[in-house]
Amino acid sequence: MLSISPIQPTSSQSTAHSPLLRQLPLSRSHHLHHRRSRFCFHLLQLTRRRHPSALLIRALDAAQPYDYETRLSRRFSQSTALKIAIIGFGNFGQFLAKAFIRQGHTVLANSRSDHSSVAQSLGASFYADPHDLCEQHPDVILLSTAVIHTEQVLKALPIQRLRRNTLFVDVLSVKEFPKNIFLQYLPSHFDILCTHPMFGPESGKDGWTGLTFVFDKVRIGPQKSREARVENFLQIFEKEGCRMVEMSCAEHDKYAAGSQFITHTVGRVLEKLSLETTPINTKGYERLLDLVENTAKDSFDLYYGLFMYNKNSMEQLERLDWAFESLKKELFGHLHEVLRKQLFGKVEEGVQGPVLSKLPNNVAAFPPPKTNSVEINNN
């Protein structure tokens, strides 16, 4: 509704207008009612021209000129929009760029390969020279390179051309390594946010709802604008429906070694077997084929990075090897029992065969290997 404050004219104006008001006929006929409405309209226009402040909009839901709510919404969106530079515009960088652009953020891209046509099709700007990209003063520098190239790429980036409070973000599969690289090469006036989307173009092709996004605010300046920038970046993944998990880089690497690295290792071991689909596939076998397909699509550099740059991966590899050897011993032990029963009959009834012990929780708990020692008697 439109609520208008009452008009309070001065005494001279009241005297001037009152004769006119007194001359209005009080007939109820339609013709006179129409004339009276027209007069009130002209009187309202005259008053607005002479005294603009006499008519004030009081109601909150009053119609505002030029679509006031839309202008406010657009102004708010512009204030939260980020200019994000993606360094490493491969499959994963392009996958993230689609969501960034869809939410109204500006994306700049740089990569060793020429992806200018892909960037243009997505609505991003591609810069072959990192100097040109940094001169655009992005709010966020996002590293989406292979982990084995991270240090080299960061050292070659002309950070002196950036604004002094630029936010650096990584999306690598390991976290302690990029964190240490950032702290080593970036001056203290740059902000650092380490993240890991626990999904990729394949697992996230149907949407990110419910998928896990891990982050660690390593170093963020105390200014409210810098804190707000970090929140605006994290909100990109919140709006896509991700399950947001804040944890330290060390915690992430410990958990990832026991889940992500084991998953990739098993998938690549099965890939070596050249598994093929059959006319009688079970559901479990179908899952194994899907695992092989998903892990084989990732580059070996990614898998090597999971092993090389996560100190917990070696422990998991040794545990996996120990578990396989223990399983073989259990199988051979049962086979040995069957053969002994065939040879000796009921002589050894009631003797229990070897049973696979539980896998220790830590490699350090493995029993030391037994060695045959020979005692030499000099007497």
Side-chain angles (χ1 to χ4, degrees):
M1 295 179 59
L2 182 63
S3 175
I4 303 176
S5 62
I7 303 174
Q8 297 179 353
T10 61
S11 58
S12 60
Q13 292 170 337
S14 177
T15 305
H17 293 157
S18 57
L20 293 175
L21 291 173
R22 285 195 298 268
Q23 293 176 9
L24 282 175
L26 299 178
S27 172
R28 295 183 180 180
S29 66
H30 177 75
H31 178 68
L32 292 179
H33 178 74
H34 178 68
R35 289 180 57 191
R36 193 174 174 188
S37 299
R38 288 184 59 189
F39 175 81
C40 291
F41 174 77
H42 291 301
L43 179 61
L44 178 64
Q45 295 296 323
L46 178 64
T47 307
R48 290 185 59 184
R49 284 196 298 267
R50 293 185 179 181
H51 300 278
S53 61
L55 298 176
L56 299 177
I57 297 175
R58 303 294 187 186
L60 292 177
D61 59 346
Q64 302 291 321
Y66 309 113
D67 198 356
Y68 185 69
E69 291 183 358
T70 302
R71 290 169 60 191
L72 279 182
S73 176
R74 186 182 300 114
R75 189 175 302 172
F76 175 77
S77 300
Q78 291 173 352
S79 66
T80 59
L82 298 171
K83 185 186 293 186
I84 305 173
I86 300 178
I87 309 298
F89 203 60
N91 290 334
F92 194 70
Q94 296 169 18
F95 171 67
L96 294 177
K98 294 176 183 178
F100 297 166
I101 295 172
R102 183 170 61 249
Q103 293 193 22
H105 302 282
T106 301
V107 172
L108 317 176
N110 169 262
S111 188
R112 291 182 299 174
S113 303
D114 184 9
H115 293 300
S116 55
S117 58
V118 177
Q120 184 178 5
S121 65
L122 296 177
S125 302
F126 186 83
Y127 294 86
D129 191 333
H131 288 261
D132 296 335
L133 181 141
C134 290
E135 287 179 351
Q136 301 303 313
H137 295 160
D139 301 305
V140 180
I141 294 286
L142 187 144
L143 293 187
S144 181
T145 61
V147 63
I148 61 175
H149 301 309
T150 301
E151 184 174 6
Q152 176 186 355
V153 170
L154 186 61
K155 289 172 62 177
L157 198 64
I159 60 175
Q160 71 277 4
R161 297 182 181 274
L162 297 169
R163 287 183 296 193
R164 290 173 56 84
N165 66 346
T166 303
L167 172 63
F168 277 77
V169 181
D170 85 283
V171 289
L172 305 185
S173 300
V174 294
K175 294 273 68 71
E176 283 270 70
F177 174 71
K179 170 187 173 181
N180 294 332
I181 293 297
F182 280 157
L183 293 174
Q184 179 180 352
Y185 291 104
L186 294 178
S188 59
H189 50 75
F190 287 118
D191 290 344
I192 300 173
L193 176 68
C194 289
T195 75
H196 183 197
M198 305 294 292
F199 52 90
E202 186 65 26
S203 56
K205 62 183 179 181
D206 297 324
W208 301 359
T209 301
L211 301 179
T212 304
F213 181 85
V214 181
F215 65 96
D216 184 10
K217 299 177 183 179
V218 177
R219 186 176 70 197
I220 309 298
Q223 292 82 358
K224 291 184 179 180
S225 59
R226 297 167 75 167
E227 294 176 355
R229 179 177 56 190
V230 172
E231 295 304 321
N232 290 340
F233 181 82
L234 294 175
Q235 282 178 9
I236 296 175
F237 298 89
E238 290 182 7
K239 291 178 180 178
E240 295 295 326
C242 290
R243 186 174 69 91
M244 309 296 288
V245 178
E246 183 173 9
M247 67 170 52
S248 68
C249 293
E251 286 180 297
H252 168 276
D253 284 359
K254 179 181 178 181
Y255 290 126
S259 59
Q260 190 179 27
F261 177 72
I262 288 294
T263 301
H264 279 261
T265 299
V266 172
R268 289 188 176 274
V269 168
L270 295 176
E271 182 189 15
K272 299 295 183 183
L273 298 178
S274 301
L275 300 181
E276 296 180 353
T277 186
T278 71
I280 54 173
N281 285 357
T282 62
K283 291 294 184 181
Y285 188 69
E286 291 285 353
R287 294 190 185 97
L288 290 181
L289 292 178
D290 291 339
L291 175 62
V292 173
E293 183 181 3
N294 290 336
T295 53
K297 285 182 178 180
D298 294 322
S299 66
F300 187 80
D301 284 348
L302 185 148
Y303 176 62
Y304 178 73
L306 293 176
F307 171 74
M308 184 67 182
Y309 298 99
N310 189 339
K311 63 182 180 180
N312 304 285
S313 295
M314 177 61 78
E315 175 185 339
Q316 295 299 327
L317 198 60
E318 291 178 352
R319 284 167 54 81
L320 186 63
D321 184 59
W322 184 90
F324 186 63
E325 290 298 325
S326 299
L327 187 61
K328 287 197 300 182
K329 289 180 180 179
E330 186 177 3
L331 287 174
F332 295 155
H334 280 277
L335 177 62
H336 184 255
E337 287 300 309
V338 172
L339 293 176
R340 289 185 65 87
K341 286 182 180 180
Q342 292 178 356
L343 292 174
F344 301 106
K346 298 183 178 180
V347 176
E348 296 183 344
E349 280 188 359
V351 179
Q352 186 176 2
V355 180
L356 176 65
S357 59
K358 290 185 178 180
L359 187 66
N361 293 326
N362 196 310
V363 174
F366 287 172
K370 295 182 179 180
T371 57
N372 296 326
S373 60
V374 178
E375 183 178 351
I376 301 176
N377 192 347
N378 293 328
N379 293 330

